[in-house]
């Protein structure tokens, strides 16, 4: 291991279009979706001979939030093998729920920085459509009572009774509590969601995602399935609240949908880029994680991003692009308010190509999506510094700071 840490660069990133739960990608296994983006990324590295990838790629690290269905048995390893790539390349799957694939990127960055390898393929996948129902095993054999199947698609399941009840409320109810604490109105949430759809639709129309999104064979899905054209504050105002009937504000329109999809990115040292034949897009300048009360998970990116900025040696005044995963409009707005967007900083730099309310949030795939989108945006916009951040269920946040490579 070397004495001086290496710089770590993002070289390229791809993803599938994101499908809605039960939609166009519901027939695709998650390990096949992960294999698809891995194969696409390998094909885009001009100096990488797939047959000799074992001599170049030090590790495959994939983020996945469920792990209870077809993505079991270390889906990172399964996807690499399904791609027909050399068996000598090791792989691991990490789970930090919604932040899983950004956590995978941070883990890969540490390996590169320490000189353990020059190239890591980092990725993420989730099929919320195919997340299984599970039956818990019984305490005693041959039970006479009925057993209840548990849906593993999203949120708490098989809860330990010793966990405080306020920690285990639904994600939507938790968001209602967060918006109450921070005074986020329904009108602001709906306006934020309108912008998400408008920006995503415009980005697709302008070809912003043309080089980032790979086609899923046999599937007619020309763009992310949950983007809606012509969404207005008036149309969203007519939607019923989901988690509270009388005083609720969170609706299906101002929250991210449930989705299927996969994403992947090349990380490497300067030498790694030569081995891949790729030019760096951005340097990973700092990263951070943070945690708070589980029911206020949506606010945890605030501290995570602040820590990442401190480690990069900059502050919010230096940042020109932000990719914040929009789990809910209310929690996104609470974070942006805390960082000073709308007052000290320009909110137009946040999710300029649309966010998860429109694009979708296939849990394990979202971290690499925001990282790769941020790197490409910074190149397109000539921005030096950028932040990618996500909130994470059970009260965590994660963030990465990028510096444009040129």
């Amino acid at each position: 291991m070397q004495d001086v840490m290496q710089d770590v660069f993002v070289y390229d990133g791809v993803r599938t279009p994101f499908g809605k739960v039960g939609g166009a990608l519901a027939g695709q296994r998650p390990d096949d979706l992960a294999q698809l983006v891995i194969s696409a990324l390998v094909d885009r590295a001009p100096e990488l001979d797939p047959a000799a990838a074992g001599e170049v790629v030090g590790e495959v690290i994939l983020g996945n939030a469920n792990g209870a269905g077809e993505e079991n048995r270390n889906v990172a390893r399964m996807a690499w093998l399904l791609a027909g790539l050399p068996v000598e390349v090791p792989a691991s799957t990490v789970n930090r729920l919604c932040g899983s694939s950004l956590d995978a990127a941070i883990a890969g960055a540490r390996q590169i920085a320490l000189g353990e390898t020059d190239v890591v393929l980092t990725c993420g996948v989730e099929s919320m459509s195919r997340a299984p129902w599970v039956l818990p095993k019984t305490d005693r054999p041959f039970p006479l009572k009925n057993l209840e199947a548990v849906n593993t698609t999203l949120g708490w399941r098989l809860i330990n009774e010793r966990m405080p009840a306020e920690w285990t409320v639904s994600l939507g109810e938790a968001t209602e509590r967060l918006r109450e604490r921070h005074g986020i109105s329904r009108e602001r949430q709906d306006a934020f969601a309108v912008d998400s759809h408008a920006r995503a639709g415009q980005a697709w129309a302008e070809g912003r995602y043309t080089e980032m999104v790979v086609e899923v064979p046999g599937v007619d899905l020309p763009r992310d399935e949950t983007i809606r054209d012509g969404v207005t504050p008036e149309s969203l105002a007519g939607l019923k609240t989901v988690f509270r009937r009388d005083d609720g504000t969170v609706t299906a329109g101002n929250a991210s949908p449930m989705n299927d999809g996969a994403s992947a990115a090349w990380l490497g040292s300067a030498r790694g880029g030569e081995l891949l034949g790729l030019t760096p897009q951005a340097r990973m300048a700092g990263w951070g994680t943070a945690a708070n009360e589980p029911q206020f998970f949506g606010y945890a990116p605030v501290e995570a991003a602040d820590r990442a900025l401190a480690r990069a040696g900059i502050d919010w005044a230096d940042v020109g692009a932000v990719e914040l995963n929009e789990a809910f409009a209310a929690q996104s707005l609470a974070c942006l308010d805390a960082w000073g967007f709308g007052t000290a900083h320009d909110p137009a730099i946040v999710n300029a190509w649309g966010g998860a309310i429109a694009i979708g949030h296939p849990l394990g795939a979202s971290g690499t999506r925001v990282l790769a989108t941020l790197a490409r945006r910074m190149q397109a916009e000539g921005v030096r510094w950028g932040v990618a951040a996500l909130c994470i269920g059970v009260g965590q946040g994660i963030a990465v700071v990028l510096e444009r490579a040129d």
Side-chain angles (χ1 to χ4, degrees):
M1 190 176 297
Q2 60 194 35
D3 295 330
V4 179
M5 291 202 299
Q6 303 186 103
D7 283 335
V8 182
F9 299 97
V10 178
Y11 280 97
D12 193 13
V14 300
R15 66 175 177 90
T16 67
F18 288 171
K20 66 181 180 181
V21 69
L25 297 184
Q28 308 294 312
R29 288 176 57 111
D31 49 0
D32 286 333
L33 289 174
Q35 173 268 310
L36 174 66
V37 292
I38 288 173
S39 295
L41 209 59
V42 168
D43 289 344
R44 288 160 62 125
E47 293 299 318
L48 179 63
D49 176 3
E55 301 171 13
V56 175
V57 183
E59 189 89 37
V60 177
I61 310 177
L62 181 145
N64 177 254
N66 198 314
E70 294 161 335
E71 72 280 76
N72 73 87
R73 296 289 291 172
N74 188 3
V75 62
R77 178 67 171 162
M78 298 301 106
W80 181 263
L81 294 176
L82 286 167
L85 294 162
V87 298
E88 295 82 8
V89 177
S92 64
T93 301
V94 300
N95 183 352
R96 203 190 284 261
L97 299 180
C98 302
S100 294
S101 56
L102 197 59
D103 206 26
I106 292 171
R110 290 190 182 113
Q111 289 194 18
I112 296 164
L114 291 172
E116 295 176 6
T117 182
D118 285 299
V119 176
V120 170
L121 195 157
T122 183
C123 40
V125 70
E126 206 76 48
S127 175
M128 300 180 80
S129 293
R130 300 173 74 89
W133 297 85
V134 299
L135 283 174
K137 288 188 175 179
T138 58
D139 295 332
R140 301 175 61 185
F142 312 115
L144 297 179
K145 64 180 181 180
N146 294 329
L147 296 177
E148 180 180 2
V150 178
N151 186 359
T152 66
T153 299
L154 180 69
W156 292 90
R157 76 290 301 256
L158 303 175
I159 300 171
N160 190 316
E161 63 182 14
R162 297 192 300 110
M163 196 72 73
E166 66 269 23
W167 288 358
T168 64
V169 296
S170 70
L171 298 175
E173 170 59 25
T175 301
E176 293 284 13
R177 297 183 186 190
L178 181 65
R179 64 89 186 166
E180 284 180 326
R181 173 180 279 192
H182 294 278
I184 309 295
S185 69
R186 165 78 180 269
E187 291 73 22
R188 283 190 71 197
Q189 294 174 57
D190 287 350
F192 185 84
V194 168
D195 283 345
S196 183
H197 284 280
R199 292 178 180 191
Q202 182 177 353
W204 271 99
E206 293 175 349
R208 300 294 189 182
Y209 290 117
T210 301
E211 295 299 316
M212 288 188 63
V213 179
V214 295
E215 179 182 350
V216 180
V219 174
D220 182 17
L221 187 59
R223 71 173 190 177
D224 302 305
E225 196 169 9
T226 47
I227 299 172
R228 297 288 176 263
D229 296 320
V231 173
T232 65
E234 293 74 23
S235 64
L236 292 187
L239 297 177
K240 294 181 179 179
T241 57
V242 178
F243 302 98
R244 292 186 185 178
R245 178 172 297 178
D246 297 328
D247 64 342
T249 63
V250 178
T251 71
N254 57 37
S256 63
M258 293 185 288
N259 300 87
D260 309 325
S263 58
W266 282 124
L267 304 182
S269 64
R271 179 173 180 271
E274 296 173 0
L275 295 171
L276 295 171
L278 295 171
T279 301
Q281 295 176 343
R283 180 178 70 91
M284 292 182 66
W287 46 80
T289 56
N292 56 20
E293 302 99 319
Q295 71 271 33
F296 297 119
F297 71 94
Y299 199 68
V302 172
E303 181 63 25
D306 287 348
R307 291 177 181 179
L309 287 166
R311 288 167 183 162
I314 63 169
D315 59 31
W316 279 109
D318 300 306
V319 174
V322 177
E323 287 292 323
L324 173 64
N325 193 54
E326 301 166 355
F328 296 87
Q331 64 80 208
S332 299
L333 288 165
C335 292
L336 294 174
D337 288 351
W339 291 323
F341 284 90
T343 54
H345 313 303
D346 184 1
I349 71 171
V350 180
N351 299 349
W353 296 355
I357 288 174
I359 293 168
H361 179 24
L363 310 176
S366 290
T368 321
R369 179 192 75 79
V370 298
L371 182 71
T373 302
L374 179 64
R376 194 168 287 268
R377 266 190 62 200
M378 291 167 66
Q379 286 288 324
E381 297 169 6
V383 169
R384 180 177 178 183
W385 297 102
V387 174
L390 301 93
C391 66
I392 301 167
V394 202
Q396 295 191 80
I398 190 167
V400 167
V401 173
L402 297 183
E403 181 183 22
R404 196 180 77 246
D406 57 355

